[in-house]
Amino acid sequence: MTIGHSSESPAATGLSPSRSGARPARTRKPLSDNAYGYLFLAPWLVGLLVFLAGPTLVSLYLSFTDFNLLQPPKWVGAQNYITLFSRDPRYLQALRVTFTYVFTAAPLNLLFALLLALLLNTRIRGISLYRAVYYVPSLLGGSVAIAILWQQIFGLDGVVSQILGFFGVHGSSWVSSPKQALWTLVILHVWQFGSAMIIFLAGLKQIPAELYEAATIDGAGKVHRFWFITLPMLTPVIFFNLVLQIINSFQAFTPAFIISGGKGGPLDSTLFYTLYVYIQGFTNFRMGYASAMGWILLIIIGVFTALAFLSSKYWVHYDDAR
Amino acid sequence: MATSTRTVRVFPFSQLLTHLVLIVGAFCMLYPLLWMIGSSFKPDSEIFTELSPIPRSLDLTNYIRGWVLGSGTSFATFYINSFVVCAGAIIGNLLSCSLAAYAFARIRFKLRGLWFAVMLGTLMLPFHVTVVPQYIIFNALGWTNTFLPLVVPKFFAVDAFFIFLMVQFIRGIPIELEQAAMVDGCNRFQIFTKIILPLLGPALVTTTIFTFIWTYNDFFSQLLYLSTEKHYTVSLGLRLFLDASGQSAWGPMFAMTTLSLVPVILVFAFFQRRLVEGIATTGLKG
Amino acid sequence: MAKQEDQEMAGEAGRLTRRTILVGAGALAASPLLSGVSFAQDATTMRLSWWGSDDRHKKTLALIQLFQSKHPGLSVTPEYGGFVGYQDKLSTEFAGGNAPDVMQVADPGALIAAGRLLALDDYIAAGKIDVSNASKSVLETAKVGGKQYSVPWGLACGCYFLDNQVFEDAKVDIPDYGWTWDEYAKVAKSLSKPGFYGSADIWAAAGTRALAGLEVFLRERQKYAFTPDGKIGFGPDELTEWFTFWDELRKAGAVPPGEVTALETGFETSPIITGKAAMYPINSSIASSLQGLTKHKLTVAPFPTGVGSTALKGDQYGAFVNSSMQVYINADAKDKDLAAAFVNFVLNDPDAAKIQLMARGVPASSKIAELVTPDISPVEQSMVATVKYVADHASAGFVPWPKQGAEVQDLMQRSHQAVAFEQASIADTVSQFFDQAGQILG
């Protein structure tokens, strides 16, 4: 798919020195939108061609082979794809775990991020400090400390067990129980809402202050301003965060990797999709099989992203809408 | 106390409440950090046996043991390497992603929709299935054990995340500004540098913060491409302490992990101020 | 230096021309992925790669210094890091045709099966690698298909770590090295009290020991985990007996329930460290690190022996010594003689041993081990004594794991979990294990 149009990229690069070197002259006919488009896109197109397209196409090819990383791949047709759905209960488990995670962790994360962004967009004392503090969990992301800490909070004598015990719920060790381990990872993801929050904050900052001023002069109240200015103006950023959450939570890897010690346990209860891709590809040396899984994930994410884009026509407000 | 603002009028009581909520929340956010800082002062024999975050004494041994490794290399080398890689990645992302984003957001060119879908598609394939072919490319270019595989691709906008981010922000900038500039005879490059970039502040700041933090914390690609200690970055340096099959040095690991957060927090604190200023002070002519 | 690299970087970026693009696009077609070609390396350099922590890095760098001083003009490039990701990087380097010359390997099965590691038999026969002082039974554990692919870079055995403090407080005697499984169960029960367990379970969430205990148990019954042709080497009866043994201990409160065992993500969070158990089964090589994490005195004991209460010796002694770390040579190493010389150096050089001490477990050469024993800590002495006891009693037989061995071990771990979390009966778990193991082993 990239081959067909790759010829446009060198052409665009070729234009670059001659045109941009010359002084813009009004008499000269301006470049067409097409030329400008590909000119601006040139670095990305080169990057796509050199660094991304090859590995992507190779992984597609590998998904139809038996490839152990060390010997030449052997073509097996659709066998990997058939095995995945017919003979691999762990794969189905990985799908279950991942979908549960995506549909809980992603919306909760967005909700918290938005609420905190709104809260931290007020001008109160120490706002910079608060922002930094609320971003800290996201900084700790893949650190070993998280794994140990999560045990301390959700483990046998952990804070959560103690609090629940106080209310008469005598529970167990959440983080290491097959029934609850996944929920502790959902909580971990919600807790690390910092990145989405920053993007929301940036979005809030981009809303022109004049809009609020005008509305205030017109006598609009707080709630009114929120519904009719803040929220609509923020929709492109909400949309962005939504798409990113879909993509990132389907690909969640690090939390399960560090907290389950890389195995997705106990009893595969935290076997995230990409963790299983990693286990098959690198631990079990089945890169062909892992690639097939990767491409199915691409399709799954692609469908959900497409749905988000289709829906965006109805609720996302762009200033450049014509 | 009652600092009323331009945008939101806040009464002292509700402000107090806001503070209260924020402080309780902050404690939940900070607990792990406090625990890690506490552990960094404990001897190995107490880290896992005594889970209270408060150390018995402020013993700096772990910091001293951790800073200079047995090989004689110090963390100073790792910090310099991390900063070089981060700086390269930030510059690369800012330049290349903003160019691509402008094209996607504002210019109507042929196959725009297709390329945009391809761009998003590059985010959707799990990293682990493309990493081996990618390694083969960089190895063929002779770039292994250099910083090049970690930096050069950023100059070619391989982080589609940031392109998409900037597209969304550019689309939030009123198009009238651009149309006015076009009438004045500005070409696309002039519009891009004189109008879009200055107004893209919040997105550029966000890109800077995220690129720094993600590059700084990234482990797997740095592990793959950097092989000798003089090239090691902070995130690789931190793993030098841990060996699941034998001797591990937990105290120094926690000490250096704590220390490694300082630059990230500083970068964040510095740039988030820019986030505050953002467009609000730029002024817009409606 | 940093500045220089910065410029180099910027320069490269600026020079990215159509040629580079072609190289990039063409690289995949010409890659070893398809052709198996590897890239030539400079003859006067040798790349050496290992994992470890600061202590081992320091000692290995000193080893390299010593080795270089014996080979003027040689420059060894050390490539080292922590354990996490080490094997992934190595696999990627092999896939890219850019692997080190000499290296530690965590999971060599697939590399050996693919012919990417060098068989050392010719070098041993030619006297370039002297194995005369190394234990025959340990050398046996590093053979695959009758060929010697590595020599041990340190010895270890599966063992129990004992928290002496708990034994003392409960007035229970530290068991003899020759203890039986029945005695083990008795000790575990007598040390238990509410919320505290005599022993950790035989599996762990992230551990790699799910097969180690079973192997000992099987060898006592003249069986092995795998057959020489790479199938499962035992039947449902043995596995049922094994699961039942642990299930009874679990129900008696002598080993922890599943959710406590699953808390262990590494030995640092093991129940012996978090104060939940008094005995802990794992590989002996972590001795000094484990001791470093607790103030209680630890000693080492071999795995229990015998069938039931009868201690068995000779051919029926189940515990065995293996190499805690092995050194391998890349089949494409530029200078194989030099690599072999390095292997011989780490195995036999007394000065090298003095530098290494226990950084990779007990030295593989018995002469060398005696030489360094006075220089080590109490827990390491206890480890050395245990390894020696096991080596003296172990029978010679060993069947190497097939390349999917680690995958079967993971399956065994999940099977243990199914029983411990009461997700399936022992009978169902056993039959599922054999089904899925059959699928993995093809």
Side-chain angles (χ1 to χ4, degrees):
Chain A
M1 113 188 113
T2 52
I3 314 290
H5 301 286
S6 61
S7 58
E8 298 191 57
S9 139
T13 342
L15 286 173
S16 164
S18 59
R19 294 278 171 163
S20 66
R23 274 189 306 123
R26 287 189 192 199
T27 49
R28 193 175 293 176
K29 192 179 156 226
L31 286 174
S32 70
D33 269 3
N34 244 344
Y36 267 123
Y38 281 95
L39 211 50
F40 274 93
L41 216 53
W44 176 74
L45 280 168
V46 171
L48 181 74
L49 206 67
V50 178
F51 301 117
L52 300 175
T56 304
L57 295 175
V58 167
S59 81
L60 179 61
Y61 163 72
L62 289 177
S63 76
F64 293 100
T65 68
D66 180 359
F67 178 50
N68 67 3
L69 288 174
L70 305 166
Q71 285 158 312
K74 282 192 291 280
W75 183 265
V76 295
Q79 191 53 52
N80 290 330
Y81 292 90
I82 294 167
T83 308
L84 275 174
F85 288 104
S86 63
R87 287 181 56 211
D88 191 349
R90 294 191 83 196
Y91 176 67
L92 301 180
Q93 169 67 7
L95 277 176
R96 261 196 300 278
V97 167
T98 307
F99 272 92
T100 312
Y101 181 79
V102 169
F103 283 102
T104 51
L108 284 173
N109 177 292
L110 278 182
L111 192 68
F112 269 84
L114 183 58
L115 284 179
L116 262 298
L118 290 169
L119 210 54
L120 293 177
N121 194 37
T122 47
R123 298 205 171 182
I124 57 173
R125 281 188 191 201
I127 195 72
S128 308
L129 188 67
Y130 283 127
R131 281 185 191 161
V133 164
Y134 279 82
Y135 195 61
V136 159
S138 307
L139 298 180
L140 290 170
S143 151
V144 193
I146 291 282
I148 296 152
L149 192 88
W150 232 237
Q151 291 205 356
Q152 208 194 324
I153 296 174
F154 295 103
L156 195 64
D157 308 318
V159 183
V160 170
S161 294
Q162 283 176 9
I163 295 173
L164 287 178
F166 183 76
F167 290 107
V169 184
H170 286 290
S172 45
S173 170
W174 279 45
V175 70
S176 60
S177 140
K179 288 198 188 78
Q180 288 126 3
L182 180 60
W183 300 113
T184 68
L185 293 185
V186 169
I187 294 172
L188 175 62
H189 185 68
V190 176
W191 183 63
Q192 297 188 323
F193 60 77
S195 300
M197 178 189 79
I198 295 299
I199 296 168
F200 278 133
L201 267 176
L204 287 170
K205 283 301 160 200
Q206 217 199 15
I207 301 174
E210 287 80 357
L211 286 177
Y212 288 109
E213 281 161 12
T216 312
I217 291 165
D218 294 345
K222 226 176 176 176
V223 177
H224 192 270
R225 286 196 305 248
F226 176 76
W227 280 111
F228 294 97
I229 300 173
T230 310
L231 217 49
M233 293 298 286
L234 205 56
T235 48
V237 176
I238 295 176
F239 174 66
F240 171 81
N241 266 335
L242 176 72
V243 171
L244 257 295
Q245 280 293 326
I246 291 172
I247 294 176
N248 287 343
S249 51
F250 269 115
Q251 294 192 356
F253 175 78
T254 314
F257 185 80
I258 56 169
I259 287 186
S260 75
K263 306 265 185 187
L267 271 176
D268 287 345
S269 58
T270 60
L271 187 68
F272 283 10
Y273 199 109
T274 48
L275 187 60
Y276 194 43
V277 170
Y278 164 80
I279 288 173
Q280 286 292 9
F282 279 97
T283 312
N284 298 343
F285 297 94
R286 295 210 183 91
M287 193 49 93
Y289 195 65
S291 300
M293 267 190 266
W295 276 85
I296 295 175
L297 184 64
L298 179 122
I299 292 165
I300 294 173
I301 298 177
V303 167
F304 278 90
T305 309
L307 286 176
F309 268 88
L310 288 176
S311 78
S312 74
K313 282 183 191 132
Y314 303 99
W315 62 276
V316 180
H317 167 89
Y318 290 110
D319 241 20
D320 58 0
R322 293 174 187 185
Chain B
M1 193 66 189
T3 31
S4 72
T5 73
R6 229 166 17 132
T7 51
V8 190
R9 204 174 301 278
V10 189
F11 295 110
F13 174 73
S14 74
Q15 212 180 69
L16 205 67
L17 200 71
T18 311
H19 273 294
L20 203 68
V21 170
L22 286 175
I23 286 169
V24 171
F27 181 75
C28 297
M29 296 289 123
L30 277 188
Y31 186 77
L33 188 67
L34 298 177
W35 182 82
M36 197 168 73
I37 295 171
S39 298
S40 71
F41 292 107
K42 293 178 183 174
D44 278 6
S45 62
E46 285 175 16
I47 292 175
F48 297 98
T49 51
E50 290 167 32
L51 291 175
S52 152
I54 301 150
R56 290 188 184 171
S57 63
L58 285 181
D59 186 355
L60 288 173
T61 314
N62 286 334
Y63 285 85
I64 294 158
R65 264 179 70 203
W67 182 258
V68 179
L69 294 165
S71 59
T73 311
S74 86
F75 259 74
T77 307
F78 303 153
Y79 277 100
I80 291 169
N81 290 340
S82 274
F83 292 148
V84 169
V85 172
C86 285
I90 290 171
I91 296 168
N93 272 345
L94 287 178
L95 290 176
S96 64
C97 294
S98 59
L99 285 171
Y102 179 68
F104 281 128
R106 286 292 205 244
I107 304 175
R108 312 241 147 195
F109 56 92
K110 271 185 205 154
L111 300 177
R112 182 172 75 152
L114 173 71
W115 289 124
F116 190 76
V118 168
M119 187 267 291
L120 280 180
T122 61
L123 286 172
M124 295 176 193
L125 204 59
F127 168 77
H128 291 110
V129 304
T130 52
V131 66
V132 169
Q134 230 152 31
Y135 182 89
I136 290 167
I137 291 180
F138 289 123
N139 190 40
L141 290 169
W143 287 4
T144 50
N145 208 18
T146 71
F147 297 144
L148 298 175
L150 305 172
V151 173
V152 173
K154 311 282 180 192
F155 281 84
F156 296 92
V158 293
D159 277 346
F161 171 88
F162 295 112
I163 304 181
F164 185 30
L165 176 82
M166 292 183 198
V167 166
Q168 293 305 95
F169 277 82
I170 291 173
R171 296 191 65 181
I173 297 171
I175 198 149
E176 294 79 12
L177 293 171
E178 237 168 290
Q179 288 164 344
M182 278 208 182
V183 173
D184 289 350
C186 285
N187 67 27
R188 291 277 187 184
F189 284 109
Q190 290 162 326
I191 292 170
F192 176 71
T193 53
K194 299 223 168 84
I195 296 174
I196 298 295
L197 279 186
L199 290 180
L200 205 52
L204 297 178
V205 169
T206 310
T207 302
T208 306
I209 293 176
F210 285 176
T211 306
F212 180 83
I213 290 167
W214 293 345
T215 309
Y216 189 78
N217 285 341
D218 169 43
F219 171 65
F220 201 69
S221 42
Q222 293 178 9
L223 172 78
L224 280 185
Y225 293 114
L226 306 177
S227 292
T228 52
E229 203 181 66
K230 67 175 177 146
H231 291 102
Y232 274 10
T233 54
V234 173
S235 77
L236 293 181
L238 292 175
R239 309 280 171 149
L240 288 175
F241 295 114
L242 299 188
D243 174 7
S245 68
Q247 190 92 31
S248 286
W250 290 91
M253 194 278 291
F254 279 116
M256 288 305 109
T257 307
T258 305
L259 213 57
S260 76
L261 288 176
V262 175
V264 197
I265 291 173
L266 285 181
V267 163
F268 177 77
F270 177 76
F271 281 101
Q272 71 89 23
R273 281 170 188 281
R274 299 286 169 284
L275 216 55
V276 184
E277 287 152 19
I279 205 162
T281 54
T282 320
L284 272 180
K285 285 172 209 138
Chain C
M1 179 200 90
K3 206 163 201 170
Q4 194 186 339
E5 263 150 353
D6 211 354
Q7 282 164 354
E8 177 189 323
M9 209 162 62
E12 280 291 341
R15 281 203 304 275
L16 203 130
T17 58
R18 210 171 4 221
R19 197 191 128 262
T20 321
I21 297 167
L22 288 175
V23 171
L28 288 165
S31 79
L33 181 70
L34 305 170
S35 62
V37 171
S38 86
F39 294 89
Q41 287 148 0
D42 191 344
T44 54
T45 65
M46 181 177 97
R47 287 168 60 200
L48 172 68
S49 155
W50 70 89
W51 78 82
S53 76
D54 199 34
D55 178 63
R56 188 182 296 157
H57 302 324
K58 188 169 87 186
K59 287 171 177 167
T60 312
L61 289 169
L63 273 188
I64 290 174
Q65 286 293 327
L66 182 63
F67 186 68
Q68 283 176 339
S69 73
K70 296 184 178 195
H71 295 81
L74 169 72
S75 151
V76 176
T77 311
E79 299 177 5
Y80 53 96
F83 183 73
V84 173
Y86 178 86
Q87 183 74 33
D88 307 334
K89 173 170 180 164
L90 201 60
S91 304
T92 310
E93 286 177 330
F94 269 106
N98 187 35
D101 298 297
V102 181
M103 71 217 102
Q104 279 174 212
V105 183
D107 183 7
L111 286 169
I112 291 173
R116 304 301 289 269
L117 296 172
L118 186 68
L120 305 179
D121 302 80
D122 292 348
Y123 297 88
I124 293 170
K128 286 173 182 164
I129 298 174
D130 176 12
V131 294
S132 57
N133 289 315
S135 146
K136 294 281 169 293
S137 68
V138 176
L139 285 171
E140 202 65 30
T141 64
K143 276 190 181 170
V144 177
K147 287 185 181 171
Q148 191 81 46
Y149 282 93
S150 71
V151 300
W153 198 351
L155 302 183
C157 62
C159 73
Y160 269 88
F161 282 91
L162 313 175
D163 184 333
N164 289 23
Q165 187 78 49
V166 177
F167 277 80
E168 215 168 278
D169 292 349
K171 303 205 165 38
V172 175
D173 290 336
I174 300 283
D176 294 338
Y177 282 179
W179 60 340
T180 61
W181 285 104
D182 273 10
E183 281 161 358
Y184 160 78
K186 219 173 94 193
V187 172
K189 284 174 189 162
S190 65
L191 291 171
S192 301
K193 52 195 182 202
F196 186 86
Y197 309 91
S199 172
D201 210 334
I202 197 69
W203 61 276
T208 52
R209 63 169 185 270
L211 272 181
L214 178 62
E215 275 198 300
V216 172
F217 174 88
L218 289 170
R219 289 161 66 93
E220 283 152 0
R221 287 155 181 77
Q222 285 76 55
K223 302 248 168 128
Y224 296 95
F226 298 98
T227 61
D229 60 347
K231 303 286 178 220
I232 295 293
F234 52 95
D237 289 350
E238 283 91 9
L239 191 55
T240 306
E241 190 186 344
W242 178 244
F243 282 156
T244 309
F245 176 77
W246 292 102
D247 202 42
E248 281 169 3
L249 283 177
R250 207 174 295 120
K251 285 180 173 140
V255 303
E259 59 188 37
V260 174
T261 301
L263 279 173
E264 179 187 338
T265 52
F267 62 83
E268 68 280 2
T269 47
S270 61
I272 199 172
I273 297 301
T274 56
K276 293 260 172 259
M279 300 190 280
Y280 176 54
I282 196 166
N283 203 286
S284 66
S285 59
I286 64 156
S288 78
S289 194
L290 196 67
Q291 179 66 79
L293 292 173
T294 175
K295 286 174 180 161
H296 292 188
K297 183 187 175 216
L298 303 179
T299 52
V300 188
F303 262 112
T305 63
V307 175
S309 59
T310 326
L312 299 171
K313 296 281 190 262
D315 274 0
Q316 293 164 322
Y317 185 83
F320 59 99
V321 173
N322 55 17
S323 33
S324 56
M325 224 133 274
Q326 294 119 322
V327 52
Y328 291 86
I329 299 175
N330 187 340
D332 296 324
K334 183 74 185 166
D335 190 337
K336 297 187 180 73
D337 278 344
L338 191 65
F342 183 81
V343 169
N344 188 51
F345 166 77
V346 296
L347 184 64
N348 291 312
D349 191 295
D351 294 328
K354 287 264 185 197
I355 292 171
Q356 284 214 86
L357 298 177
M358 299 291 145
R360 285 185 172 80
V362 181
S365 159
S366 52
K367 271 192 198 161
I368 301 279
E370 279 165 35
L371 197 69
V372 300
T373 306
D375 299 336
I376 58 179
S377 71
V379 73
E380 285 176 328
Q381 300 208 356
S382 171
M383 168 183 86
V384 172
T386 303
V387 171
K388 186 174 184 328
Y389 177 88
V390 173
D392 289 347
H393 289 76
S395 52
F398 187 85
V399 178
W401 285 13
K403 66 177 178 180
Q404 304 94 330
E407 212 179 332
V408 172
Q409 176 166 262
D410 283 348
L411 171 65
M412 179 60 78
Q413 181 176 307
R414 292 196 300 279
S415 303
H416 268 293
Q417 291 180 6
V419 177
F421 284 110
E422 297 174 349
Q423 300 267 314
S425 69
I426 290 179
D428 289 351
T429 308
V430 167
S431 78
Q432 274 173 21
F433 172 84
F434 283 98
D435 279 359
Q436 291 173 22
Q439 210 172 324
I440 291 170
L441 294 168

